Amino acid sequence: MGRSLDIGIVGGGIGGLTGAIALRRQGHSVTVYEQAAKYMRVGADINLTPNAVLALDGLGVGDAARRTGARPTFRISRDWDTGEETSRLPMSSAAEERYGAPQLTIHRADLLSALAEAFPAESVKFSKRLRTLEQDGAGVTLVFEDGSSARHDVVVGADGIHSRVRTALLGEESPRFTGVVSFRAVVPTEKVKHVPEIEAFTKWWGPNPQSQIVTFPLNRGRDTFVFATTGQPSWHEESWTSEGDVHELRAFYRDFHPDARALLDACESVLKSALYERDPLPQWSKGRVTLMGDACHPMLPFMAQGAGMAIEDGVVLGRCLSGENPAAELKRYQEARQERTAKIQIGSRGNQWMKGQESADWVYGYDAWRTPLP
Ligand SMILES: Cc1cc2nc3c(=O)[nH]c(=O)nc-3n(C[C@H](O)[C@H](O)[C@H](O)COP(=O)(O)OP(=O)(O)OC[C@H]3O[C@@H](n4cnc5c(N)ncnc54)[C@H](O)[C@@H]3O)c2cc1C
């Protein structure tokens, strides 16, 4: 252990809370500033592949995640029209043996609760929306929309794809609309149990890289999650709560295999959002400020690694920041994470990963606790 730092984290999402737990375990004093007034049950699925679960296990959060998460049996790829299987990977206990942790598909709110339980509640400050920040050689001052401010030795921006910390650090630059929209729905498994292998994670690969339907179990298998994407350049609204139209959803995928369509037929409501992304960043640590998660490497959901990358970032940041030389250690953290997160950002954009039979080891086999640091 080096010198104990006073650290401020902006954003109390999955990345921010993971980073907070990891840094506190290193002996630092950590305060999290979250813009929301409290945690609400927004969103639905979070896909935690073995690399993410292994990272959470080391933080003591894995057991809580296991209590509410489902364990998909296989990861299967199928052709959209013929239904032909193009790849199959055993998950569940086979993944646990191979990677040291299973895949868990979990409600985002349950994962946030599991993380929040592992961090002192009084150190999360709600209704604190960052306006901007300033740093000097000795520390960083955060300025919030309510007019208050706070001073810390080091600041971590975990404030998502529209990160204000990122803007303060690197200047204004808007995320890019991809021309792709997503539909998310949760269906009681009882209604779709006739669909073969409903307990698996199945990706129906569409006629072009933008078009796909992914389904997997949620809420310990009581529900089935349906996630579908398609090109629709006319729709720009990005939201976790906007209602879509189930008739439009069904129309987009009317030529898909009957087993895929059966899932869409069972949807009573659906959420719709446009998908945005950014290019990999050449730099995201400057002086005493750094970024993590979607704030520095937002990605399309096609490799299901958005949350996983934020969680891995938190663990590696905790390992790097000993407090002796914060600016150099934050650079070291960035260097440790840059190649992997850029590769996954680019791979998610291309959307070909695991379409055919290939090894998932480079993604699932990464151990944030042991990966060599530069
Ligand atoms: C409400 C919500 C619901 C989501 N639902 C899903 C889902 O169902 N499935 C899925 O795959 N992904 C979902 N995501 C995205 C997913 O959680 C992230 O892509 C991933 O986990 C990376 O996490 P992150 O912590 O980097 O960013 P995020 O999860 O986006 O967290 C960022 C946090 O920062 C806070 N914040 C933002 N700006 C400020 C500010 N200026 N000051 C203070 N705090 C700020 C936000 O309120 C949020 O809590 C959701 C994100 C959000 C915010």
Side-chain angles (χ1 to χ4, degrees), residues 301-350:
F302 296 133
M303 289 174 71
Q305 289 299 318
M309 289 306 103
I311 291 168
E312 290 178 2
D313 283 351
V315 169
V316 175
L317 177 60
R319 288 177 59 203
C320 288
L321 198 57
S322 75
E324 294 297 344
N325 183 346
E329 288 159 9
L330 296 182
K331 277 249 154 60
R332 188 171 184 226
Y333 146 73
Q334 172 199 303
E335 280 161 23
R337 296 294 298 153
Q338 227 161 2
E339 189 182 330
R340 173 169 172 83
T341 54
K343 195 171 167 191
I344 292 182
Q345 262 181 302
I346 301 292
S348 300
R349 183 182 290 169

Side-chain angles (χ1 to χ4, degrees), residues 10-17 33-36 39 42-47 108 128-131 144 158-164 184 225 240 292-295 301 306-308 310:
V10 182
I14 292 165
L17 285 179
Y33 300 97
E34 166 57 43
Q35 66 176 1
Y39 286 125
V42 184
D45 73 295
I46 289 288
N47 190 349
R108 184 174 184 272
K128 285 287 174 193
R129 183 170 166 77
L130 184 83
R131 185 189 305 156
F144 299 98
D159 48 345
I161 184 166
H162 300 285
S163 171
R164 294 252 173 114
R184 292 167 197 264
F225 183 71
W240 292 106
M292 64 181 297
D294 284 2

Side-chain angles (χ1 to χ4, degrees), residues 204-363:
W204 298 84
W205 292 78
N208 58 65
Q210 299 182 328
S211 169
Q212 50 138 41
I213 300 175
V214 173
T215 76
F216 50 82
L218 198 62
N219 299 327
R220 303 218 71 163
R222 287 191 307 281
D223 295 314
T224 296
F225 183 71
V226 180
F227 175 69
T229 63
T230 188
Q232 192 181 31
S234 58
W235 181 277
H236 291 251
E237 188 186 341
E238 186 195 20
S239 160
W240 292 106
T241 51
S242 288
E243 291 280 335
D245 176 352
V246 285
H247 303 290
E248 184 193 42
L249 169 73
R250 288 173 198 144
F252 270 129
Y253 305 93
R254 62 179 168 266
D255 296 329
F256 271 60
H257 189 273
D259 286 346
R261 277 188 290 132
L263 293 153
L264 307 187
D265 289 343
C267 296
E268 283 176 9
S269 61
V270 68
L271 298 178
K272 183 176 179 181
S273 176
L275 297 179
Y276 286 75
E277 63 153 8
R278 294 180 192 265
D279 288 327
L281 276 178
Q283 177 186 5
W284 70 68
S285 293
K286 246 186 183 176
R288 291 171 170 265
V289 183
T290 193
L291 303 173
M292 64 181 297
D294 284 2
C296 51
H297 42 63
M299 52 187 68
L300 282 165
F302 296 133
M303 289 174 71
Q305 289 299 318
M309 289 306 103
I311 291 168
E312 290 178 2
D313 283 351
V315 169
V316 175
L317 177 60
R319 288 177 59 203
C320 288
L321 198 57
S322 75
E324 294 297 344
N325 183 346
E329 288 159 9
L330 296 182
K331 277 249 154 60
R332 188 171 184 226
Y333 146 73
Q334 172 199 303
E335 280 161 23
R337 296 294 298 153
Q338 227 161 2
E339 189 182 330
R340 173 169 172 83
T341 54
K343 195 171 167 191
I344 292 182
Q345 262 181 302
I346 301 292
S348 300
R349 183 182 290 169
N351 193 23
Q352 291 296 313
W353 190 65
M354 298 303 289
K355 185 172 185 179
Q357 196 67 41
E358 63 181 285
S359 169
D361 288 0
W362 75 269
V363 180

Side-chain angles (χ1 to χ4, degrees), residues 73-107:
T73 48
F74 289 91
R75 189 197 191 288
I76 302 170
S77 286
R78 291 191 188 282
D79 262 351
W80 63 288
D81 52 351
T82 63
E84 185 196 336
E85 185 176 306
T86 56
S87 79
R88 172 177 289 256
L89 202 68
M91 298 307 291
S92 197
S93 33
E96 200 153 12
E97 271 162 40
R98 189 171 180 87
Y99 303 117
Q103 177 187 22
L104 294 176
T105 49
I106 185 170
H107 197 294

